[in-house]
Amino acid sequence: MTQKTAALTAAALVGFAANSLLCRLALKAGAIDAASFTAIRLGAGAVVLTLVARVLGRWSEHSGSWVSAAALFMYAIAFSLSYRMIGATVGPLVLFGAVQITMIGWGIVRGERPSRVQWAGIALAVCGLVVLTLPGLTASPALGMGLMAAAGIAWGIYSLRGRASAHPLTTTAANFLRTLPMVAPTLALSLAAAPAHLTIKGVLLAASSGVIASGLGYALWYRALPGLTATQAASVQLLVPILAASAAVPILSEAVTLRLVVSAALVLGGIGLSIWTRALHESQRTNRISSGARVKRELRPRA
């Protein structure tokens, strides 16, 4: 990994962690309602990502899809709704765990056969998420946890659909734009249930989430990806929950409980075990194929 790739990756990961902090800060203080936060975040993100794509000369009106946009929208609205109830120390852990479990689960559905060690890693991650919801004084609200898990599943689906994209930045920009027609009915339903609550602080936090943490964060991530292996890209994302929790303690005055530490160790350790074991198996398989091809060349009769 070059210094440039490392710097881009670090900046992107900080942006991902900042999304949780900005959303929780806005909704915890009641500075804005969840639907309005989502609308401003997606709108601001769409503007920034479209501008970046155009500046780089990669914009295309035919990029993206409505199905991917729907998954992106479901992630964003569930993300905002959940942060009315849970903290930024817990949220990224649940989100990241749900994303990775969704992607691993889809691989199994498609015919991948995890090893025993990988199954053990998956089981540890699931147990870690269960630990957060066990009854007790420090348990997180089940509804908030469920909404964040739903956000993670939606983001996992979005990520799976985007893996084949030749120009992920352009695709993401187009998908952000496609979410905007979905925002209007959501705001209408929200207003029907309760009046919108907007303050200058809330609007600025939502705009910062869209422009900086989402728009620029994704742009930096996609610039960094070509310099990362698949294993590195998956592994460095383990840092996001840690970064968010570390910042949530001084900024949001949230506490790091023993339950959270145990859960984080199980989730991050389990997912890390699954990722690294899979990478090792793929590396061994590649080496066997290369060795077999070399032997065939050596045994081929010479003219």
Side-chain angles (χ1 to χ4, degrees), residues 109-192:
V109 170
R110 292 291 300 273
E112 293 182 12
R113 293 295 176 262
S115 66
R116 292 179 181 179
V117 177
Q118 286 176 292
W119 276 119
I122 295 169
L124 284 175
V126 172
C127 287
L129 294 178
V130 171
V131 165
L132 284 176
T133 59
L134 291 174
L137 293 176
T138 59
S140 298
L143 179 57
M145 292 279 291
L147 285 166
M148 187 58 81
I153 292 170
W155 186 255
I157 293 170
Y158 181 81
S159 299
L160 286 167
R161 288 184 57 82
R163 286 197 302 188
S165 174
H167 302 291
L169 175 61
T170 304
T171 301
T172 297
N175 286 330
F176 261 77
L177 282 174
R178 289 174 188 264
T179 65
L180 300 186
M182 304 174 195
V183 168
T186 304
L187 282 174
L189 289 173
S190 177
L191 289 172

Side-chain angles (χ1 to χ4, degrees), residues 175-247:
N175 286 330
F176 261 77
L177 282 174
R178 289 174 188 264
T179 65
L180 300 186
M182 304 174 195
V183 168
T186 304
L187 282 174
L189 289 173
S190 177
L191 289 172
H197 180 65
L198 296 173
T199 65
I200 294 176
K201 177 182 177 181
V203 171
L204 289 176
L205 288 170
S208 297
S209 177
V211 172
I212 302 172
S214 295
L216 295 180
Y218 295 152
L220 291 171
W221 177 246
Y222 292 130
R223 288 293 301 274
L225 272 181
L228 299 171
T229 66
T231 303
Q232 288 174 332
S235 299
V236 295
Q237 291 181 65
L238 291 168
L239 295 173
V240 174
I242 298 172
L243 290 172
S246 299

Side-chain angles (χ1 to χ4, degrees), residues 17 41 181 252 268 298:
R41 177 190 175 187
L252 299 172
L268 301 181
E298 293 173 353

